[in-house]
Each structure stands twice: as structure tokens, then as C-alpha cells.
Amino acid sequence: MSDADVAVLLLVRVVLGIVMIAHGLNHWRGGGRIEGTARWFTGLGLRGGTLQAWMSVVTEIGAGALLIAGLLTPLACAAVVSVMLVAGVLAHRPNGFFVFKEGYEYVLVLAVVSLALAVLGPGRLSVDHAGDIEVTGWAGGGIALGLAVAATAGLLGVFWRPAPKPTEPQPTDTAEAPAAPGRSAEQETR
């Protein structure tokens, strides 16, 4: 691995780690604090909004710190991918692709960068490399993607209970019912 490769991996790890820590801190200390984050998660259909808010804070800050250190990189990447999958499915998917419309563009990029990092590994300037515990290639990517999908499915299976979509009231009186195509309401009542 060239010095440029090592530098790029370090840059990606550190930037992604800082983004995740900032995201976690914002869920914790920003805007509506934990209470606001909990209300938001509840509004997305997740039960236990306060628990979800704290789990997101711990996961995002923890994964960010692990990425910056280059420690347990596939697990840190799995955490990022899982958080982005949940965010993409619950909050951003209904809005389409583009981030300026609250779409899933941003979370998709973070998830793919994390998966790529799991495959490439943290590089020489990492705790994983120093401790000779690097897992890279298909194994690193497989661990990250497998754990992310399992964690996301588990979280959604246990906690996600979306509110049913409101249905239009059905008319109960035949005089109120719309006429069949090609027939008038008067013809319908005869």
C-alpha cells in the first residue's frame, strides 16, 4: 500500500468519524436535545423514542470514535451502515433521492463510503494495523454489511410500528354513494 493510499484511508476514516460524532452530538445536545430526537423517532413509527434517541447517540459517537482510531473498523462501518439504512428507510426514502428534498442521497453516500472502507481496511495508520487485527477485503465488507443488515432488520422488527395510513370514509347511504361510471345517481337508486 502506497503512502498516498494510507493518507487517503486516514482522511476518509477521520472525516467519516467526525461526521458521525457530530451527528450523534446533534441528536444529543442540538436543537430539541434528546427529548426532541425521541419525539422525531416516535414520529417515524419507532416505539421507545427515548431509547432510540440514546441508542442512536451512542452508536453514532461510538462508531465515529472507532473510525478515527481505526479500531474494529468493520464493526464501526457496520454501525454507520445500519444507522444510514434506518435513516434511509424511515426518514428519507419517501422523499425521493435528492438531499435538498430530504431524500436519501446523503445517507446512501455515507453507507457506501463506510462499506468501501470496511473492504479496503483502515490502513497502516490505525490501531487495527498496529494490533495486527485488520480484517479487510471481502471478509471486512461481509462483516460490515452482514451485521448492518441484521442490526437494521432487528431494530425495525422489534421497534418499528408505523401508523396506519388514514383511509377515506366510505359512504353508508346509497343516496350518498357516487354513481357508477356511465350512470346517474338517480339511475343507481332505482
Side-chain angles (χ1 to χ4, degrees):
M1 185 175 283
S2 73
D3 289 344
D5 295 337
V6 172
V8 167
L9 288 173
L10 177 63
L11 178 65
V12 169
R13 273 192 7 246
V14 169
V15 169
L16 185 58
I18 289 170
V19 166
M20 293 310 298
I21 290 171
H23 204 83
L25 289 173
N26 187 57
H27 279 161
W28 180 19
R29 309 292 293 168
R33 301 194 166 296
I34 280 293
E35 297 79 20
T37 301
R39 283 191 303 274
W40 182 61
F41 281 133
T42 300
L44 293 174
L46 289 170
R47 291 185 301 168
T50 302
L51 172 64
Q52 298 304 319
W54 280 112
M55 283 180 17
S56 115
V57 166
V58 169
T59 301
E60 291 163 357
I61 293 173
L66 289 173
L67 285 169
I68 291 170
L71 176 61
L72 305 174
T73 303
L75 300 181
C77 292
V80 174
V81 172
S82 182
V83 167
M84 295 305 125
L85 281 173
V86 171
V89 168
L90 298 185
H92 302 289
R93 180 186 48 83
N95 303 321
F97 178 73
F98 294 105
V99 71
F100 60 85
K101 293 183 178 181
E102 297 297 322
Y104 59 87
E105 176 182 12
Y106 174 68
V107 296
L108 176 65
V109 169
L110 290 179
V112 170
V113 166
S114 297
L115 185 57
L117 185 58
V119 170
L120 295 172
R124 280 195 316 258
L125 299 176
S126 67
V127 175
D128 284 348
H129 182 77
D132 198 25
I133 57 172
E134 275 182 292
V135 179
T136 62
W138 293 116
I143 289 169
L145 186 58
L147 287 176
V149 169
T152 301
L155 183 132
L156 295 178
V158 173
F159 293 103
W160 189 39
R161 300 295 180 267
K165 293 187 178 188
T167 58
E168 292 185 28
Q170 299 298 316
T172 56
D173 185 71
T174 55
E176 296 175 18
R183 299 186 70 179
S184 71
E186 184 180 318
Q187 289 171 326
E188 286 288 318
T189 58
R190 287 190 211 164

CSV table of all heavy atoms in Angstrom, one decimal, residues 6-23 25 59-77 80 114 117 121-129:
chain,number,residue,atom,x,y,z
A,6,VAL,N,-2.5,5.2,2.1
A,6,VAL,CA,-2.6,5.3,3.6
A,6,VAL,C,-3.1,6.6,4.0
A,6,VAL,O,-4.0,6.7,4.9
A,6,VAL,CB,-1.2,5.1,4.2
A,6,VAL,CG1,-1.2,5.3,5.7
A,6,VAL,CG2,-0.7,3.6,4.0
A,7,ALA,N,-2.7,7.7,3.3
A,7,ALA,CA,-3.2,9.0,3.7
A,7,ALA,C,-4.7,9.2,3.3
A,7,ALA,O,-5.4,9.7,4.1
A,7,ALA,CB,-2.4,10.1,2.9
A,8,VAL,N,-5.1,8.6,2.2
A,8,VAL,CA,-6.5,8.7,1.8
A,8,VAL,C,-7.4,7.9,2.7
A,8,VAL,O,-8.4,8.4,3.1
A,8,VAL,CB,-6.7,8.2,0.3
A,8,VAL,CG1,-8.1,8.0,0.0
A,8,VAL,CG2,-6.0,9.2,-0.6
A,9,LEU,N,-7.0,6.7,3.1
A,9,LEU,CA,-7.7,5.9,4.1
A,9,LEU,C,-7.9,6.7,5.4
A,9,LEU,O,-8.9,6.7,6.0
A,9,LEU,CB,-7.1,4.5,4.3
A,9,LEU,CG,-7.3,3.6,3.1
A,9,LEU,CD1,-6.5,2.3,3.3
A,9,LEU,CD2,-8.8,3.3,2.8
A,10,LEU,N,-6.8,7.3,5.9
A,10,LEU,CA,-6.8,8.0,7.1
A,10,LEU,C,-7.8,9.2,7.0
A,10,LEU,O,-8.6,9.5,7.8
A,10,LEU,CB,-5.4,8.5,7.5
A,10,LEU,CG,-5.3,9.4,8.7
A,10,LEU,CD1,-5.8,8.6,10.0
A,10,LEU,CD2,-3.9,9.9,8.9
A,11,LEU,N,-7.7,9.9,5.8
A,11,LEU,CA,-8.6,11.1,5.6
A,11,LEU,C,-10.1,10.6,5.6
A,11,LEU,O,-10.9,11.3,6.3
A,11,LEU,CB,-8.3,11.7,4.3
A,11,LEU,CG,-9.1,12.9,3.9
A,11,LEU,CD1,-9.0,14.1,4.8
A,11,LEU,CD2,-8.8,13.3,2.4
A,12,VAL,N,-10.4,9.6,4.9
A,12,VAL,CA,-11.8,9.1,4.8
A,12,VAL,C,-12.2,8.7,6.2
A,12,VAL,O,-13.3,9.0,6.7
A,12,VAL,CB,-11.9,7.9,3.8
A,12,VAL,CG1,-13.3,7.2,4.0
A,12,VAL,CG2,-11.7,8.4,2.4
A,13,ARG,N,-11.4,7.9,7.0
A,13,ARG,CA,-11.8,7.5,8.3
A,13,ARG,C,-12.0,8.7,9.2
A,13,ARG,O,-13.0,8.7,10.0
A,13,ARG,CB,-10.6,6.6,8.9
A,13,ARG,CG,-10.7,5.2,8.6
A,13,ARG,CD,-9.7,4.4,9.5
A,13,ARG,NE,-9.0,5.0,10.5
A,13,ARG,CZ,-7.7,5.2,10.6
A,13,ARG,NH1,-6.9,4.8,9.6
A,13,ARG,NH2,-7.2,5.9,11.6
A,14,VAL,N,-11.1,9.6,9.2
A,14,VAL,CA,-11.3,10.8,10.1
A,14,VAL,C,-12.5,11.6,9.8
A,14,VAL,O,-13.2,12.0,10.7
A,14,VAL,CB,-9.9,11.6,10.2
A,14,VAL,CG1,-10.1,12.9,10.9
A,14,VAL,CG2,-8.8,10.8,10.8
A,15,VAL,N,-12.7,11.9,8.5
A,15,VAL,CA,-13.8,12.7,8.1
A,15,VAL,C,-15.1,12.0,8.4
A,15,VAL,O,-16.0,12.6,9.0
A,15,VAL,CB,-13.7,13.1,6.6
A,15,VAL,CG1,-15.0,13.8,6.1
A,15,VAL,CG2,-12.6,14.1,6.4
A,16,LEU,N,-15.2,10.8,8.1
A,16,LEU,CA,-16.4,10.0,8.4
A,16,LEU,C,-16.7,9.9,9.9
A,16,LEU,O,-17.8,10.0,10.3
A,16,LEU,CB,-16.3,8.6,7.7
A,16,LEU,CG,-17.6,7.7,7.8
A,16,LEU,CD1,-18.8,8.4,7.2
A,16,LEU,CD2,-17.3,6.4,7.2
A,17,GLY,N,-15.6,9.7,10.6
A,17,GLY,CA,-15.7,9.6,12.1
A,17,GLY,C,-16.2,11.0,12.6
A,17,GLY,O,-17.1,11.0,13.5
A,18,ILE,N,-15.7,12.1,12.2
A,18,ILE,CA,-16.1,13.4,12.7
A,18,ILE,C,-17.5,13.6,12.3
A,18,ILE,O,-18.3,14.1,13.1
A,18,ILE,CB,-15.2,14.5,12.1
A,18,ILE,CG1,-13.8,14.4,12.8
A,18,ILE,CG2,-15.8,15.9,12.3
A,18,ILE,CD1,-12.7,15.3,12.1
A,19,VAL,N,-17.9,13.3,11.1
A,19,VAL,CA,-19.3,13.4,10.7
A,19,VAL,C,-20.3,12.7,11.6
A,19,VAL,O,-21.3,13.2,12.1
A,19,VAL,CB,-19.5,13.0,9.2
A,19,VAL,CG1,-21.0,12.9,8.8
A,19,VAL,CG2,-18.9,14.0,8.3
A,20,MET,N,-19.9,11.4,11.9
A,20,MET,CA,-20.8,10.6,12.8
A,20,MET,C,-20.8,11.1,14.2
A,20,MET,O,-21.9,11.2,14.8
A,20,MET,CB,-20.3,9.1,12.7
A,20,MET,CG,-20.5,8.5,11.4
A,20,MET,SD,-22.1,8.6,10.7
A,20,MET,CE,-23.1,7.8,11.9
A,21,ILE,N,-19.7,11.6,14.7
A,21,ILE,CA,-19.7,12.1,16.1
A,21,ILE,C,-20.5,13.4,16.1
A,21,ILE,O,-21.3,13.6,17.0
A,21,ILE,CB,-18.2,12.4,16.5
A,21,ILE,CG1,-17.5,11.1,16.8
A,21,ILE,CG2,-18.2,13.3,17.8
A,21,ILE,CD1,-16.0,11.2,17.1
A,22,ALA,N,-20.4,14.3,15.1
A,22,ALA,CA,-21.2,15.5,15.0
A,22,ALA,C,-22.7,15.1,15.0
A,22,ALA,O,-23.5,15.8,15.6
A,22,ALA,CB,-20.8,16.3,13.8
A,23,HIS,N,-23.0,14.1,14.2
A,23,HIS,CA,-24.4,13.7,14.0
A,23,HIS,C,-24.9,13.2,15.4
A,23,HIS,O,-26.1,13.6,15.8
A,23,HIS,CB,-24.5,12.6,13.0
A,23,HIS,CG,-25.8,12.5,12.4
A,23,HIS,ND1,-26.2,13.3,11.3
A,23,HIS,CD2,-26.9,11.7,12.7
A,23,HIS,CE1,-27.5,12.9,11.0
A,23,HIS,NE2,-27.9,12.0,11.8
A,25,LEU,N,-23.7,14.0,18.4
A,25,LEU,CA,-23.8,15.1,19.3
A,25,LEU,C,-25.0,16.0,19.0
A,25,LEU,O,-25.7,16.5,20.0
A,25,LEU,CB,-22.5,15.9,19.3
A,25,LEU,CG,-21.3,15.3,19.9
A,25,LEU,CD1,-20.1,16.1,19.6
A,25,LEU,CD2,-21.5,15.1,21.4
A,59,THR,N,-24.4,5.0,19.3
A,59,THR,CA,-23.9,4.3,18.1
A,59,THR,C,-23.1,5.3,17.2
A,59,THR,O,-22.0,4.9,16.8
A,59,THR,CB,-25.1,3.7,17.3
A,59,THR,OG1,-25.8,2.7,18.1
A,59,THR,CG2,-24.6,3.0,16.1
A,60,GLU,N,-23.7,6.5,17.0
A,60,GLU,CA,-23.0,7.4,16.1
A,60,GLU,C,-21.7,7.9,16.7
A,60,GLU,O,-20.7,8.0,16.0
A,60,GLU,CB,-24.0,8.6,15.8
A,60,GLU,CG,-25.1,8.1,14.9
A,60,GLU,CD,-26.3,9.0,14.9
A,60,GLU,OE1,-26.3,10.1,15.6
A,60,GLU,OE2,-27.2,8.7,14.1
A,61,ILE,N,-21.7,8.3,18.0
A,61,ILE,CA,-20.5,8.8,18.6
A,61,ILE,C,-19.5,7.6,18.8
A,61,ILE,O,-18.3,7.8,18.5
A,61,ILE,CB,-20.8,9.4,20.0
A,61,ILE,CG1,-21.6,10.7,19.8
A,61,ILE,CG2,-19.5,9.7,20.7
A,61,ILE,CD1,-22.1,11.4,21.1
A,62,GLY,N,-19.9,6.5,19.2
A,62,GLY,CA,-19.0,5.3,19.3
A,62,GLY,C,-18.4,4.9,18.0
A,62,GLY,O,-17.2,4.7,17.9
A,63,ALA,N,-19.2,4.8,16.9
A,63,ALA,CA,-18.7,4.4,15.6
A,63,ALA,C,-17.7,5.5,15.1
A,63,ALA,O,-16.7,5.2,14.5
A,63,ALA,CB,-19.9,4.2,14.6
A,64,GLY,N,-18.1,6.8,15.3
A,64,GLY,CA,-17.2,7.8,14.9
A,64,GLY,C,-15.8,7.7,15.6
A,64,GLY,O,-14.8,7.9,14.9
A,65,ALA,N,-15.8,7.5,16.9
A,65,ALA,CA,-14.5,7.4,17.6
A,65,ALA,C,-13.7,6.2,17.1
A,65,ALA,O,-12.5,6.3,17.0
A,65,ALA,CB,-14.8,7.3,19.1
A,66,LEU,N,-14.4,5.1,16.9
A,66,LEU,CA,-13.7,3.9,16.4
A,66,LEU,C,-13.1,4.1,15.0
A,66,LEU,O,-12.0,3.7,14.8
A,66,LEU,CB,-14.7,2.7,16.4
A,66,LEU,CG,-15.1,2.1,17.7
A,66,LEU,CD1,-16.1,1.0,17.5
A,66,LEU,CD2,-13.9,1.5,18.5
A,67,LEU,N,-13.8,4.8,14.2
A,67,LEU,CA,-13.3,5.1,12.8
A,67,LEU,C,-12.1,6.0,12.9
A,67,LEU,O,-11.1,5.8,12.2
A,67,LEU,CB,-14.4,5.8,12.0
A,67,LEU,CG,-15.5,4.8,11.5
A,67,LEU,CD1,-16.6,5.6,10.9
A,67,LEU,CD2,-14.9,3.8,10.5
A,68,ILE,N,-12.1,7.0,13.7
A,68,ILE,CA,-11.0,7.9,13.8
A,68,ILE,C,-9.8,7.2,14.3
A,68,ILE,O,-8.7,7.4,13.8
A,68,ILE,CB,-11.3,9.1,14.8
A,68,ILE,CG1,-12.3,10.0,14.1
A,68,ILE,CG2,-10.0,9.9,15.1
A,68,ILE,CD1,-12.9,11.1,15.0
A,69,ALA,N,-9.9,6.3,15.3
A,69,ALA,CA,-8.8,5.5,15.8
A,69,ALA,C,-8.4,4.4,14.8
A,69,ALA,O,-7.3,3.9,14.9
A,69,ALA,CB,-9.2,4.9,17.2
A,70,GLY,N,-9.3,4.0,14.0
A,70,GLY,CA,-9.1,2.8,13.1
A,70,GLY,C,-9.1,1.5,13.9
A,70,GLY,O,-8.3,0.6,13.7
A,71,LEU,N,-10.0,1.5,14.8
A,71,LEU,CA,-10.2,0.3,15.7
A,71,LEU,C,-11.5,-0.4,15.4
A,71,LEU,O,-12.5,0.2,15.4
A,71,LEU,CB,-10.2,0.8,17.2
A,71,LEU,CG,-10.4,-0.3,18.3
A,71,LEU,CD1,-9.3,-1.3,18.2
A,71,LEU,CD2,-10.4,0.4,19.6
A,72,LEU,N,-11.4,-1.7,15.3
A,72,LEU,CA,-12.5,-2.6,14.9
A,72,LEU,C,-13.3,-2.0,13.8
A,72,LEU,O,-14.5,-1.8,13.8
A,72,LEU,CB,-13.4,-2.7,16.2
A,72,LEU,CG,-12.8,-3.2,17.5
A,72,LEU,CD1,-13.7,-3.2,18.6
A,72,LEU,CD2,-12.2,-4.6,17.2
A,73,THR,N,-12.6,-1.7,12.7
A,73,THR,CA,-13.1,-0.9,11.6
A,73,THR,C,-14.3,-1.6,10.9
A,73,THR,O,-15.3,-0.9,10.7
A,73,THR,CB,-12.0,-0.7,10.6
A,73,THR,OG1,-10.9,0.0,11.2
A,73,THR,CG2,-12.5,0.1,9.4
A,74,PRO,N,-14.4,-2.9,10.7
A,74,PRO,CA,-15.6,-3.5,10.1
A,74,PRO,C,-16.8,-3.3,11.0
A,74,PRO,O,-17.9,-3.1,10.5
A,74,PRO,CB,-15.3,-4.9,9.9
A,74,PRO,CG,-13.8,-5.0,9.9
A,74,PRO,CD,-13.3,-3.9,10.8
A,75,LEU,N,-16.6,-3.3,12.3
A,75,LEU,CA,-17.7,-3.2,13.2
A,75,LEU,C,-18.2,-1.7,13.2
A,75,LEU,O,-19.4,-1.4,13.3
A,75,LEU,CB,-17.4,-3.6,14.6
A,75,LEU,CG,-16.9,-5.1,14.8
A,75,LEU,CD1,-16.6,-5.4,16.2
A,75,LEU,CD2,-18.0,-6.0,14.3
A,76,ALA,N,-17.3,-0.8,13.2
A,76,ALA,CA,-17.6,0.6,13.2
A,76,ALA,C,-18.3,0.9,11.9
A,76,ALA,O,-19.3,1.7,11.9
A,76,ALA,CB,-16.3,1.5,13.3
A,77,CYS,N,-17.9,0.4,10.8
A,77,CYS,CA,-18.5,0.6,9.5
A,77,CYS,C,-19.9,0.0,9.5
A,77,CYS,O,-20.8,0.5,8.9
A,77,CYS,CB,-17.7,0.0,8.4
A,77,CYS,SG,-16.1,0.9,8.1
A,80,VAL,N,-22.3,2.4,11.1
A,80,VAL,CA,-22.6,3.5,10.3
A,80,VAL,C,-23.6,3.1,9.2
A,80,VAL,O,-24.6,3.7,9.0
A,80,VAL,CB,-21.4,4.1,9.6
A,80,VAL,CG1,-21.7,5.2,8.6
A,80,VAL,CG2,-20.4,4.7,10.7
A,114,SER,N,-18.8,3.9,3.9
A,114,SER,CA,-18.5,3.0,5.1
A,114,SER,C,-18.2,1.6,4.6
A,114,SER,O,-17.3,0.9,5.1
A,114,SER,CB,-19.6,3.0,6.1
A,114,SER,OG,-19.8,4.3,6.6
A,117,LEU,N,-14.9,1.4,3.0
A,117,LEU,CA,-13.8,1.5,4.0
A,117,LEU,C,-13.7,0.1,4.7
A,117,LEU,O,-12.5,-0.3,5.0
A,117,LEU,CB,-14.1,2.6,5.0
A,117,LEU,CG,-13.1,2.8,6.1
A,117,LEU,CD1,-11.7,3.2,5.5
A,117,LEU,CD2,-13.6,3.9,7.0
A,121,GLY,N,-10.2,-1.5,4.4
A,121,GLY,CA,-9.5,-1.6,5.7
A,121,GLY,C,-9.0,-0.2,6.1
A,121,GLY,O,-9.1,0.8,5.4
A,122,PRO,N,-8.6,-0.1,7.4
A,122,PRO,CA,-8.3,1.2,7.9
A,122,PRO,C,-6.9,1.8,7.5
A,122,PRO,O,-6.6,3.0,7.7
A,122,PRO,CB,-8.3,1.0,9.4
A,122,PRO,CG,-7.8,-0.4,9.5
A,122,PRO,CD,-8.4,-1.1,8.3
A,123,GLY,N,-6.0,1.0,6.9
A,123,GLY,CA,-4.7,1.4,6.5
A,123,GLY,C,-3.7,1.3,7.7
A,123,GLY,O,-4.0,0.9,8.8
A,124,ARG,N,-2.4,1.6,7.3
A,124,ARG,CA,-1.3,1.4,8.3
A,124,ARG,C,-1.4,2.3,9.5
A,124,ARG,O,-1.0,2.0,10.6
A,124,ARG,CB,0.0,1.7,7.6
A,124,ARG,CG,0.5,0.6,6.8
A,124,ARG,CD,2.0,0.8,6.4
A,124,ARG,NE,2.4,2.1,6.0
A,124,ARG,CZ,2.5,2.5,4.7
A,124,ARG,NH1,2.4,1.7,3.7
A,124,ARG,NH2,2.9,3.7,4.4
A,125,LEU,N,-2.0,3.5,9.3
A,125,LEU,CA,-2.1,4.5,10.5
A,125,LEU,C,-3.4,4.2,11.3
A,125,LEU,O,-4.3,5.0,11.3
A,125,LEU,CB,-2.1,5.9,10.0
A,125,LEU,CG,-0.8,6.3,9.2
A,125,LEU,CD1,-0.9,7.7,8.7
A,125,LEU,CD2,0.4,6.1,10.1
A,126,SER,N,-3.5,3.0,11.9
A,126,SER,CA,-4.7,2.6,12.6
A,126,SER,C,-4.3,1.7,13.8
A,126,SER,O,-3.3,1.0,13.7
A,126,SER,CB,-5.7,1.9,11.7
A,126,SER,OG,-5.1,0.7,11.3
A,127,VAL,N,-5.2,1.7,14.7
A,127,VAL,CA,-5.0,0.7,15.8
A,127,VAL,C,-5.1,-0.7,15.4
A,127,VAL,O,-4.4,-1.6,15.8
A,127,VAL,CB,-6.0,1.0,17.0
A,127,VAL,CG1,-5.9,0.0,18.1
A,127,VAL,CG2,-5.8,2.5,17.5
A,128,ASP,N,-6.1,-1.0,14.4
A,128,ASP,CA,-6.2,-2.3,13.9
A,128,ASP,C,-4.9,-2.8,13.3
A,128,ASP,O,-4.5,-4.0,13.5
A,128,ASP,CB,-7.3,-2.3,12.8
A,128,ASP,CG,-8.7,-2.3,13.3
A,128,ASP,OD1,-8.9,-2.5,14.5
A,128,ASP,OD2,-9.6,-2.1,12.5
A,129,HIS,N,-4.2,-2.0,12.5
A,129,HIS,CA,-3.0,-2.4,11.9
A,129,HIS,C,-1.9,-2.6,13.0
A,129,HIS,O,-1.2,-3.6,12.9
A,129,HIS,CB,-2.5,-1.3,10.9
A,129,HIS,CG,-1.2,-1.7,10.2
A,129,HIS,ND1,-1.2,-2.6,9.2
A,129,HIS,CD2,0.0,-1.3,10.4
A,129,HIS,CE1,0.0,-2.7,8.8
A,129,HIS,NE2,0.8,-1.9,9.5
